[in-house]
Amino acid sequence: MPLVILKPGRDKSLLRRHPWVFSGALKKVEGDPGPGEVVEVLSHEGRFLCRASYSPYSQIALRAWTFDSGEEVGPEFFRSRLKQAIDFRAPLLKLSDGACRLVNAESDGLPGVIVDKYAAFLVCQFFSAGAELWRGEILSHLEHALSPLGIYERSDVDVRLKEGLEPRSGLLWGQPPPSLLVIREKNCRFLVDIEHGQKTGCYLDQRENRVMPADYAEGAEVLNAFSYTGGFGIHALKAGAIKVTNIDSSPAALSLANQNRELNHFDEDSFENIHGDVFQVLRDFRDTRRLFDLIILDPPKFVESRSQLGRGSRGYKDINLLAFKLLKPGGVLFTFSCSGLVPLPLFQMIVAGAALDAGRNAQILGVLTQGPDHPTALNFPEGAYLKGLICRAY
Ligand code: SAH
């Protein structure tokens, strides 16, 4: 097996079982490993650290598969890691038309591998050279373990370029998914466009949070900003909301939101879809003094890199400040950030500043995070990216 030897003192993160090694930490690569190939990683002193996949083009040059020197990386390794990930989600798998994440990459011990289940179909993403090399093995275990109707790939993401891989999507195995697939989430049903939707079709990380506003929805006028296909709003209607206003910049998402309204038997009067920029539409509402009982803010990732921290934080402040201005007294705001580089204490500070500048007293009723099918390995804190606050404003 090819060997990689680290520079002196650069073994610290692997000793804490963090799975990444950056290219600057590598002293010597022996045996000419190809992209994704398994290498044995040694400290400068020659101590075994892990077996990892080697990625010659990426800043993340190594991603650890195993820290156990007795564990070979081969078919049995992938079978057992996948089994472990799938077994722990067994209660979620009982729901045949449910959707959830089955494999959450680094946090399930499988760096670069995402597998989502949508009813009888699976959708995979392979983000790293190592994941790419073992895709055949991974697929064959998924077929055997789960007998899906079909497996589709949505690796059409730019991060693959950093690994020297082209973005790619298409059918991998079995039947192609229908152009719109119906899934159940709690007591609602949703249409998912696996081929063209955002991510793998749906934002599964918000699966558990989407029902949380139900507690405050009875008789409410709801603003669902960054609505995508309307999930939060449909659940709010189910819980007794009078009306939901969705805002999104994607016409395809809003069209699906409307179809989701029909699928769940809510009439047109209960729904307003606004195609536009949330920053602008919230300003328009402020100027026309439109108020809401319940507001959901679920923006895309504003901070992709450290250099965007200032600009992204101002973005969060801006929309939250406007949201506080649009809340009726006693109204409730569900506000989220999926930027891993904005930790909860910073996000809470931004939201507190927004309430202050909006002239509102507010309190936190709850703190939210990604669902348990998106676990965070304790040795991989980067895995915890989604945070949300439930705030009541007076
Ligand atoms: N809340 C959704 C997920 C939201 S993802 C759910 O539970 O399914 C973020 C959404 O914001 C995407 O649908 C994207 O199209 C939209 N979006 C991104 N930037 C936007 C902007 N400036 N104004 C309006 N919508 C935006």
Side-chain angles (χ1 to χ4, degrees):
M1 193 185 307
L3 280 184
V4 173
I5 298 149
L6 301 190
K7 290 179 184 164
R10 300 301 290 268
D11 53 356
K12 294 204 175 56
S13 72
L14 284 180
L15 289 173
R16 284 198 308 271
R17 298 201 163 202
H18 189 286
W20 292 350
V21 178
F22 289 91
S23 55
L26 272 52
K27 181 171 184 230
K28 201 154 66 171
V29 180
E30 290 176 3
D32 196 22
E37 202 173 318
V38 180
V39 296
E40 191 140 316
V41 184
L42 305 179
S43 70
H44 192 251
E45 295 76 26
R47 171 179 175 179
F48 172 87
L49 294 169
C50 68
R51 295 206 171 91
S53 65
Y54 176 62
S55 189
Y57 309 111
S58 174
Q59 270 192 315
I60 304 172
L62 302 170
R63 289 174 201 248
W65 288 124
T66 177
F67 297 93
D68 175 357
S69 61
E71 191 174 36
E72 294 299 329
V73 181
E76 174 52 24
F77 168 86
F78 287 97
R79 194 197 63 77
S80 88
R81 285 288 159 102
L82 288 167
K83 182 175 184 320
Q84 198 179 340
I86 291 165
D87 284 356
F88 125 74
R89 276 111 167 155
L92 292 171
L93 286 168
K94 281 195 198 129
L95 197 63
S96 62
D97 54 354
C100 66
R101 175 148 298 182
L102 290 181
V103 179
N104 196 32
E106 273 76 352
S107 288
D108 276 311
L110 289 167
V113 183
I114 297 283
V115 183
D116 289 342
K117 167 196 181 298
Y118 291 97
F121 288 86
L122 299 178
V123 185
C124 296
Q125 294 180 312
F126 302 101
F127 285 141
S128 64
E132 180 76 8
L133 190 84
W134 291 98
R135 51 193 276 133
E137 205 61 56
I138 292 166
L139 287 175
S140 104
H141 286 301
L142 291 173
E143 284 164 42
H144 282 108
L146 297 160
S147 310
L149 283 182
I151 307 181
Y152 199 85
E153 177 170 19
R154 283 299 307 271
S155 306
D156 45 338
V157 284
D158 287 345
V159 287
R160 271 174 65 100
L161 297 171
K162 295 184 182 172
E163 296 275 327
L165 304 166
E166 288 297 317
R168 185 176 46 205
S169 66
L171 185 67
L172 292 173
W173 181 84
Q175 295 175 25
S179 58
L180 291 177
L181 184 73
V182 180
I183 58 150
R184 174 170 298 280
E185 189 174 81
K186 306 283 178 188
N187 54 357
C188 295
R189 296 196 303 154
F190 293 102
L191 294 165
V192 181
D193 181 346
I194 284 177
E195 280 179 61
H196 307 107
Q198 298 181 21
K199 300 268 180 177
T200 59
C202 196
Y203 288 85
L204 292 177
D205 52 356
Q206 290 280 33
R207 186 177 52 89
E208 302 237 313
N209 296 334
R210 269 190 286 269
V211 289
M212 301 293 285
D215 291 349
Y216 311 93
E218 178 86 54
E221 275 198 63
V222 182
L223 174 61
N224 185 15
F226 307 97
S227 64
Y228 190 44
T229 55
F232 276 100
I234 302 281
H235 281 297
L237 285 174
K238 195 79 174 181
I242 299 174
K243 186 171 176 187
V244 172
T245 300
N246 293 312
I247 313 171
D248 205 280
S249 55
S250 158
L254 288 173
S255 155
L256 263 187
N258 216 24
Q259 293 180 63
N260 282 331
R261 171 188 62 74
E262 285 172 7
L263 185 67
N264 290 280
H265 312 295
F266 295 112
D267 60 37
E268 265 177 77
D269 298 346
S270 62
F271 226 59
E272 179 185 16
N273 276 340
I274 300 179
H275 172 225
D277 175 14
V278 166
F279 290 82
Q280 187 53 49
V281 177
L282 297 189
R283 283 189 165 69
D284 297 344
F285 285 169
R286 176 198 60 193
D287 296 343
T288 54
R289 296 185 201 290
R290 231 183 119 173
L291 297 177
F292 297 90
D293 302 287
L294 179 58
I295 297 180
I296 294 116
L297 286 182
D298 184 22
K301 200 171 176 181
F302 285 167
V303 182
E304 301 268 0
S305 63
R306 287 199 187 279
S307 64
Q308 295 174 354
L309 199 52
R311 187 161 184 268
S313 300
R314 284 193 292 281
Y316 288 121
K317 169 96 180 269
D318 195 15
I319 53 173
N320 280 282
L321 195 161
L322 288 160
F324 278 119
K325 290 202 172 196
L326 302 181
L327 272 182
K328 293 181 194 169
V332 174
L333 168 66
F334 279 71
T335 180
F336 294 95
S337 160
C338 60
S339 301
L341 291 170
V342 177
L344 177 64
L346 173 59
F347 186 57
Q348 185 174 323
M349 231 161 72
I350 294 169
V351 175
L356 189 70
D357 289 3
R360 303 295 295 266
N361 286 321
Q363 54 189 178
I364 296 175
L365 307 180
V367 179
L368 303 172
T369 183
Q370 63 227 43
D373 54 335
H374 289 61
T376 303
L378 280 171
N379 53 336
F380 185 65
E382 291 86 344
Y385 61 96
L386 183 64
K387 60 219 66 86
L389 294 172
I390 313 172
C391 297
R392 193 200 310 270
Y394 293 96

